[in-house]
């Protein structure tokens, strides 16, 4: 089974004081740490609507988006998520979090998943990050008949009791396919949904290029192709 965690407004939610603490734990100290404190502190923001400005308010959360350091600081902030002692295999890419679980039977898989995702949820809560439950999903994967899978929802416990069946904790919805990092993965690894998606996209682009060829030269058409099409049909990193 695989679970996909979506974090709501991840880059805007990190607590800067905790980020500075994590930088210190990584060995950044002295003038370098003071530079980061200056870089992150005493920042304010305001909103402009129809030419009217709101009052400026200090903000203590978020990396400085648009800056070169923003993505790197976010990665440093979430890096120790991979240190959580979970039984499943955890994979991180920017603000995406994916966890694989396996077991001898579905009951064992769900028991392991329930325990581990509670730990992951606790880490998110402790680090001021919010799991977007509506966008977070889980998928039971099997190349054989899946008729024996007993559960369609997976409880994301925050109550402290992963065995509870009566708590009001949020639940993750089970899906048959999920788009992860631009690739649609289905529960039988048939790649049918991904092929259908690519096919539909290419059909649209064929029409677009049939129109563009009347107004663009070959060089411009080539640039457009690499910007909008090549990345979709070349997921394998250059392999045909």
């Amino acid at each position: 089974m695989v679970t996909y965690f979506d974090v709501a407004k991840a880059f805007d939610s990190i607590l800067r004081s905790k980020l500075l603490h994590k930088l210190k734990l990584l060995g950044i100290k002295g003038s370098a740490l003071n530079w980061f404190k200056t870089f992150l502190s005493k920042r304010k923001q305001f909103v402009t609507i129809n030419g009217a400005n709101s009052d400026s308010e200090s903000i203590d959360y978020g990396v400085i988006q648009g800056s070169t350091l923003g993505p790197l600081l976010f990665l440093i902030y979430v890096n120790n998520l991979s240190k959580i002692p979970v039984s499943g295999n955890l994979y991180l890419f920017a603000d995406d979090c994916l966890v694989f679980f396996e077991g001898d039977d579905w009951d064992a898989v769900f028991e392991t998943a329930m325990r581990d995702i509670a730990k992951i949820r606790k880490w998110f809560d402790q680090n001021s990050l919010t799991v977007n439950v509506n966008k977070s999903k889980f998928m039971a994967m099997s190349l054989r008949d899946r008729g024996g899978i007993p559960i369609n929802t997976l409880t994301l416990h925050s109550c402290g009791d992963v065995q509870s069946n009566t708590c009001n904790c949020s639940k993750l919805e089970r899906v048959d396919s999920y788009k992860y990092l631009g690739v649609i993965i289905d529960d039988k690894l048939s790649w049918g949904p991904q092929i259908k998606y690519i096919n539909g996209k290419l059909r649209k682009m064929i029409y677009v290029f049939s129109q563009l060829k009347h107004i663009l030269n070959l060089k411009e058409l080539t640039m457009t192709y690499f910007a909008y099409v090549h990345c979709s049909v070349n997921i394998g990193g250059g392999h045909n």
Side-chain angles (χ1 to χ4, degrees):
M1 189 179 72
V2 59
T3 59
Y4 303 92
F5 287 97
D6 183 89
V7 182
K9 297 188 179 299
F11 280 71
D12 294 325
S13 300
I14 70 168
L15 183 58
R16 292 176 181 173
S17 59
K18 188 176 289 290
L19 171 60
L20 290 170
H21 178 67
K22 293 186 179 188
L23 288 171
K24 186 176 181 180
L25 292 177
L26 286 175
I28 297 176
K29 55 186 178 180
S31 58
L33 185 62
N34 289 332
W35 185 91
F36 277 106
K37 289 180 180 178
T38 303
F39 177 68
L40 294 169
S41 63
K42 296 182 180 180
R43 288 185 174 269
K44 296 184 177 183
Q45 67 181 27
F46 64 92
V47 178
T48 300
I49 300 178
N50 293 329
N53 296 336
S54 69
D55 295 334
S56 296
E57 296 289 343
S58 298
I59 50 175
D60 299 316
Y61 291 84
V63 295
I64 314 304
Q65 294 206 45
S67 67
T68 303
L69 286 174
L72 177 61
L73 291 175
F74 178 81
L75 292 177
I76 291 173
Y77 190 81
V78 300
N79 185 57
N80 67 324
L81 173 57
S82 61
K83 305 298 182 182
I84 296 177
V86 295
S87 300
N89 296 318
L90 193 150
Y91 299 89
L92 301 175
F93 186 87
D95 58 343
D96 287 306
C97 175
L98 177 152
V99 194
F100 278 107
F101 302 99
E102 59 181 353
D104 294 331
D105 53 51
W106 286 116
D107 289 335
V109 171
F110 278 101
E111 182 179 345
T112 300
M114 202 85 74
R115 182 174 61 250
D116 282 0
I117 66 173
K119 295 179 181 178
I120 295 171
R121 167 68 177 270
K122 184 177 180 180
W123 184 93
F124 280 128
D125 291 343
Q126 291 175 339
N127 286 271
S128 305
L129 297 173
T130 303
V131 175
N132 189 333
V133 177
N134 292 330
K135 292 186 178 180
S136 298
K137 309 291 181 181
F138 80 95
M139 185 166 61
M141 304 177 72
S142 175
L143 300 182
R144 296 175 294 180
D145 180 31
R146 298 180 298 109
I149 302 176
I151 302 176
N152 287 316
T153 58
L154 188 63
T155 304
L156 188 60
H157 285 286
S158 58
C159 61
D161 183 7
V162 295
Q163 302 297 329
S164 176
N165 295 319
T166 59
C167 64
N168 294 319
C169 297
S170 304
K171 297 182 184 299
L172 302 184
E173 177 189 9
R174 175 179 154 193
V175 294
D176 295 330
S177 62
Y178 191 88
K179 190 173 184 180
Y180 180 70
L181 300 181
V183 179
I184 301 176
I185 304 172
D186 64 283
D187 55 4
K188 286 186 176 296
L189 295 180
S190 69
W191 302 108
Q194 173 68 11
I195 294 171
K196 183 178 180 180
Y197 167 73
I198 294 296
N199 183 57
K201 190 169 185 178
L202 289 179
R203 288 172 63 90
K204 293 179 181 178
M205 294 309 299
I206 288 173
Y207 172 77
V208 170
F209 275 85
S210 70
Q211 303 301 308
L212 288 177
K213 70 179 182 180
H214 300 297
I215 58 176
L216 300 181
N217 59 39
L218 180 59
K219 181 178 179 181
E220 293 167 338
L221 285 170
T222 302
M223 292 175 59
T224 305
Y225 166 80
F226 279 102
Y228 293 98
V229 182
H230 187 72
C231 58
S232 296
V233 299
N234 198 40
I235 294 174
H239 299 289
N240 293 324

